Amino acid sequence: MKNELGFNPKNIYRNLSYEEIREHEINNSEGQVTSLGAYTVDTGKFTGRSPKDKFFTPTDDLWVGPVNQEVSLSTWETLKERALAHYEGKDIYLSDCYAGAVDNSNRLQVRIISEIAWQAHFCKNMFIRPSEEELDKFDPEFTIINACKITAEDYQDLGLNSPVFVIFNLKEKMAIIGGTWYGGEMKKGIFSVMHYLLPKKGVLSMHCSANMDKEGHTALFFGLSGTGKTTLSTDPKRQLIGDDEHGWDDEGIFNFEGGCYAKAIRLNPEFEPDIYAAIRENALLENVVLKKDNSVDFDDDSKTKNTRVSYPIEHIENRVRPVSRGNHPEVIIYLCCDAFGVVPPISRLNREQAMEYFISGYTAKVAGTELGINEPKPDFSPCFGGPFLTLHPRRYAELLGEKLDLHNSRVYLVNTGWIGGPYGVGERISLPLTRKIIDSILDGSIEKHGYFTDQSFGLEIPNAIEGIPNEVIHPELAWDNVQHYREEAAKLAQLFKDNHDKY
């Protein structure tokens, strides 16, 4: 094994079954079994990604800027040597898996090494599980060494920002993780790698969810965290393709993942029945609070607002099978959570607007979501996935434009945030109302009554939608002062323009 990985482990627990992983989790006292049958763990200090600690070794076409930082090859070699030395003589969990549901060159063979059973559990949930026959001939094309128990105390000398590090060497086809236990670093790390590899083949890599009806009509849902991307794509009336990461090739849409990673905070079985039902044996909860009877208190955010659950996609009964892929999308929905209360809850975009809003990737952060945020703050993330892009955003936008021209997809913007005023004044649009809006898009009834052009954003807004109050469709009607609405809308529209001009 040393010739293959550079160290001699004590024991290799290779591609364990769910039953075997559960036994290790329990024997290692890594968490608890909940009353729902799912296992729950705490991810330590980090309950989310650590974007300021993500680095790449120098690569010619890497998009270096607000997201991607470079680190020297000498730092890479130093930390890689420490990670390998850390694993010498230790038990390891080795997970061989795929990123990409298609059985062709667009699929990446991934190997992940960790020393914590629940991290192997996370990988088994989130990546695609090869068959026994496929494992026999598995040849990893990218490796992650998760040495989460080590830190770089000499980080300043190494050119890092903290003792934590997540470093990718795209030429060596390897990444090392240190100092953070958060499972999402592995998932999103491979997503970044796919963002680097696929566009070079003409395949658009996307931070979006996808579903399909029984006739094969496919829809995509783009959106940043908290906008409803997972919730709205998990629809009892439609089959789920995937909830977060997809590619768009010449054949259609395909999922990168073999599972789902849903927010668990305030999970409501009435409004999100499919996600709630997925939380059972083999699911893995993160950072939730348990009651005395080991039931989950989904409303308790005392550990973090970013409580999560991962589960294999097989836990969603209403899914596309046997392969998580769909046809070219007829409908594309951009989701934003506007905390200023001015973005129309529903609007139709022309091609130019579709490109502009894709580059913008807008949502808003509200008070309490991050330290120091006391009022709504606009958040622009290019291509609705800025933290994971490894090429310049224009590269992905150009590919999207080509796909739109080829397949005539209709594009809509849906605001799942506030109306009648900003956060703290207005009200958030209810999930049932948003689902009705989505339904009208998917069944085409939104086109029945025509559109008018909004003054503030220049967007096409439907004159009416059956079952949706006028003050929801026409946001200025929900404000006490129409002039005040228009002034606030003009401010946000200018922020959109300023952000778009950067790219």
Side-chain angles (χ1 to χ4, degrees):
M1 194 69 181
K2 188 168 185 177
N3 291 333
E4 187 178 355
L5 292 172
F7 64 92
N8 284 311
K10 180 180 179 182
N11 292 300
I12 303 171
Y13 299 112
R14 185 188 298 265
N15 302 316
L16 298 183
S17 67
Y18 276 113
E19 293 78 11
E20 291 168 329
I21 290 174
R22 173 66 64 92
E23 183 178 345
H24 280 255
E25 288 170 329
I26 293 172
N27 290 342
N28 298 344
S29 301
E30 293 182 1
Q32 291 177 265
V33 180
T34 69
S35 62
L36 294 171
Y39 201 73
T40 182
V41 297
D42 286 352
T43 64
K45 176 183 176 181
F46 291 90
T47 58
R49 290 179 300 101
S50 185
K52 292 182 179 179
D53 297 309
K54 178 182 174 183
F55 295 87
F56 290 81
T57 57
T59 306
D60 291 342
D61 46 3
L62 179 74
W63 177 43
V64 179
V67 172
N68 301 315
Q69 310 165 86
E70 287 190 333
V71 72
S72 69
L73 280 173
S74 62
T75 292
W76 161 263
E77 292 295 342
T78 296
L79 292 174
K80 178 185 172 185
E81 183 178 339
R82 292 179 190 177
L84 295 177
H86 171 75
Y87 271 122
E88 191 72 27
K90 286 188 171 62
D91 292 345
I92 68 167
Y93 296 92
L94 188 150
S95 303
D96 288 332
C97 44
Y98 294 133
V102 290
D103 188 11
N104 58 30
S105 62
N106 294 331
R107 166 185 281 181
L108 186 69
Q109 298 186 79
V110 178
R111 172 165 290 169
I112 301 174
I113 297 165
S114 63
E115 59 180 308
I116 299 171
W118 75 252
Q119 291 181 344
H121 186 168
F122 179 88
C123 293
K124 195 173 188 71
N125 280 352
M126 293 312 307
F127 294 103
I128 294 170
R129 296 160 286 283
S131 66
E132 289 298 323
E133 182 182 353
E134 289 171 326
L135 286 173
D136 287 340
K137 56 184 179 181
F138 194 88
D139 185 17
E141 299 168 289
F142 200 92
T143 299
I144 293 180
I145 299 177
N146 190 336
C148 64
K149 292 184 180 181
I150 70 170
T151 55
E153 297 307 318
D154 55 346
Y155 66 91
Q156 290 176 318
D157 295 336
L158 294 170
L160 305 178
N161 294 324
S162 83
V164 175
F165 54 90
V166 182
I167 304 181
F168 296 81
N169 187 322
L170 295 172
K171 294 180 180 177
E172 198 168 322
K173 300 178 181 178
M174 182 179 288
I176 49 176
I177 297 173
T180 172
W181 293 43
Y182 185 62
E185 294 287 8
M186 297 179 287
K187 162 186 156 66
K188 290 303 188 184
I190 293 300
F191 190 30
S192 296
V193 174
M194 297 293 273
H195 267 311
Y196 181 78
L197 297 175
L198 292 187
K200 297 180 178 186
K201 303 177 183 181
V203 178
L204 176 60
S205 48
M206 304 174 293
H207 186 216
C208 70
S209 56
N211 64 23
M212 185 171 70
D213 67 15
K214 293 179 180 178
E215 285 73 44
H217 304 300
T218 301
L220 303 183
F221 298 79
F222 286 88
L224 303 177
S225 180
T227 59
K229 177 166 54 67
T230 295
T231 297
L232 293 169
S233 62
T234 308
D235 185 338
K237 300 182 295 297
R238 296 173 65 86
Q239 297 174 326
L240 182 69
I241 299 172
D243 81 324
D244 195 43
E245 304 173 6
H246 291 84
W248 188 350
D249 63 13
D250 292 340
E251 303 301 319
I253 302 301
F254 64 96
N255 194 356
F256 288 173
E257 301 184 296
C260 301
Y261 196 37
K263 281 184 174 290
I265 195 69
R266 289 181 287 280
L267 184 67
N268 187 321
E270 179 183 354
F271 296 144
E272 300 169 278
D274 290 336
I275 295 175
Y276 188 85
I279 304 176
R280 56 183 192 266
E281 190 172 356
N282 298 342
L284 181 67
L285 287 154
E286 296 175 2
N287 304 310
V288 298
V289 175
L290 298 186
K291 301 176 184 178
K292 291 182 179 179
D293 61 356
N294 273 10
S295 63
V296 181
D297 187 347
F298 287 105
D299 295 323
D300 192 327
D301 62 0
S302 57
K303 293 182 182 179
T304 177
K305 295 181 184 296
N306 190 37
T307 58
R308 291 273 183 170
V309 60
S310 66
Y311 48 86
I313 200 167
E314 288 81 5
H315 281 202
I316 298 295
E317 181 62 29
N318 194 26
R319 68 183 188 279
V320 174
R321 57 185 83 184
V323 178
S324 296
R325 72 170 304 153
N327 298 318
H328 297 292
E330 296 180 19
V331 167
I332 296 174
I333 297 171
Y334 298 159
L335 300 168
C336 75
C337 178
D338 176 39
F340 299 95
V342 294
V343 174
I346 174 61
S347 51
R348 186 175 65 180
L349 309 184
N350 59 33
R351 185 190 185 281
E352 182 181 348
Q353 291 167 335
M355 301 289 285
E356 179 179 348
Y357 278 78
F358 184 67
I359 283 286
S360 295
Y362 167 72
T363 194
K365 296 176 181 178
V366 298
T369 57
E370 287 186 13
L371 189 65
I373 295 180
N374 300 311
E375 57 185 24
K377 179 182 177 182
D379 185 22
F380 296 97
S381 185
C383 311
F384 293 95
F388 321 119
L389 304 183
T390 37
L391 303 174
H392 195 280
R394 283 196 304 269
R395 189 78 169 268
Y396 307 95
E398 289 165 359
L399 272 174
L400 175 67
E402 292 172 10
K403 303 290 186 187
L404 293 179
D405 291 341
L406 277 172
H407 305 292
N408 298 312
S409 307
R410 293 179 285 123
V411 185
Y412 300 85
L413 175 65
V414 172
N415 172 22
T416 63
W418 275 258
I419 55 173
Y423 173 81
V425 177
E427 294 183 358
R428 187 162 189 183
I429 303 166
S430 71
L431 181 57
L433 270 180
T434 298
R435 285 201 182 278
K436 285 185 179 179
I437 290 171
I438 297 294
D439 287 345
S440 74
I441 295 172
L442 296 175
D443 65 20
S445 61
I446 193 172
E447 309 295 336
K448 282 185 179 179
H449 302 288
Y451 291 81
F452 73 96
T453 301
D454 163 69
Q455 292 183 25
S456 301
F457 297 95
L459 303 172
E460 289 187 321
I461 297 177
N463 290 309
I465 301 175
E466 294 172 13
I468 306 294
N470 274 343
E471 61 270 20
V472 173
I473 302 172
H474 310 265
E476 66 180 37
L477 298 180
W479 281 59
D480 293 336
N481 185 317
V482 172
Q483 184 58 33
H484 189 200
Y485 164 83
R486 291 176 179 170
E487 290 170 358
E488 294 303 306
K491 291 178 185 177
L492 183 58
Q494 184 61 44
L495 291 177
F496 270 103
K497 183 181 184 303
D498 293 344
N499 180 73
H500 187 262
D501 287 347
K502 295 178 184 178
Y503 303 103

